[in-house]
Amino acid sequence: MQKEEYIQNLLKEFLRLNPGLTISDIRKNSYLSHSVIWHHLEILASRGECLRIERGDTDVYHLNKVVGTLSEFGIADDHSDYHFSYNFDLVENPFGRFLRIQRLRESRSRANTTRGGVIVPYHLIGTIANILVKVKENHLNEEKNKG
């Protein structure tokens, strides 16, 4: 796990110092193979750590820089067997500002590791919040669904 963490931190540093990199850009300036770079950038993108933009047949990666941590809104789901928790951060990249929601789970070593994430543009947060309320009311309300 230490090697994976090292590679991912290295890639985040590349993206921090040089916004808008491709896998080829990173490969030219590192000892990492194309497949290793691709694999770890995809993990970072799936966690909301970076943003992948498709430009034709090339993917361009941008770091999602944390500009605010919303630790007061962290959620722990103790009702499932998986014991996920969720955290919220404000991030920005060249395309704007976003709310990042990450799903974490405790690893075997008792450290919380990010398992997935999504970034939501600031201007859509209210719309998405309204949709979530409607989904809960219309589809997740146990009393309504019994009848």
Side-chain angles (χ1 to χ4, degrees):
M1 188 58 105
Q2 290 176 349
K3 182 179 177 183
E4 287 186 7
E5 186 177 341
Y6 171 79
I7 292 170
Q8 290 168 13
N9 286 335
L10 178 66
L11 292 174
K12 286 193 289 188
E13 188 65 12
F14 266 105
L15 295 175
R16 186 184 70 78
L17 294 172
N18 306 286
L21 290 177
T22 65
I23 292 172
S24 296
D25 295 331
I26 296 170
R27 188 164 182 236
K28 289 176 194 171
N29 294 294
S30 75
Y31 59 89
L32 301 172
S33 71
H34 184 278
S35 61
V36 167
I37 296 167
W38 176 83
H39 172 75
H40 288 283
L41 285 174
E42 287 300 304
I43 289 171
L44 292 173
S46 73
R47 294 176 178 170
E49 300 279 344
C50 72
L51 178 65
R52 178 176 51 93
I53 299 292
E54 296 175 13
R55 299 278 188 227
D57 62 350
T58 302
D59 292 334
V60 180
Y61 295 86
H62 300 272
L63 184 67
N64 289 326
K65 178 185 172 193
V66 176
V67 294
T69 300
L70 304 174
S71 56
E72 68 270 23
F73 297 115
I75 301 169
D77 181 6
D78 297 326
H79 295 354
S80 76
D81 293 335
Y82 298 109
H83 303 287
F84 287 119
S85 60
Y86 300 85
N87 70 11
F88 301 84
D89 298 304
L90 303 176
V91 299
E92 66 181 9
N93 60 43
F95 300 94
R97 299 187 92 172
F98 301 84
L99 171 66
R100 179 176 68 194
I101 305 169
Q102 291 181 313
R103 185 185 73 210
L104 298 94
R105 184 170 179 210
E106 192 174 272
S107 67
R108 290 181 192 96
S109 65
R110 300 278 187 218
N112 276 335
T113 57
T114 304
R115 301 295 184 168
V118 63
I119 60 172
V120 178
Y122 277 18
H123 70 276
L124 291 178
I125 292 171
T127 302
I128 291 174
N130 290 335
I131 291 170
L132 291 173
V133 168
K134 289 177 184 176
V135 167
K136 183 177 180 186
E137 289 172 352
N138 297 326
H139 301 284
L140 303 177
N141 185 326
E142 291 183 28
E143 293 301 317
K144 273 187 177 180
N145 290 334
K146 286 181 183 178

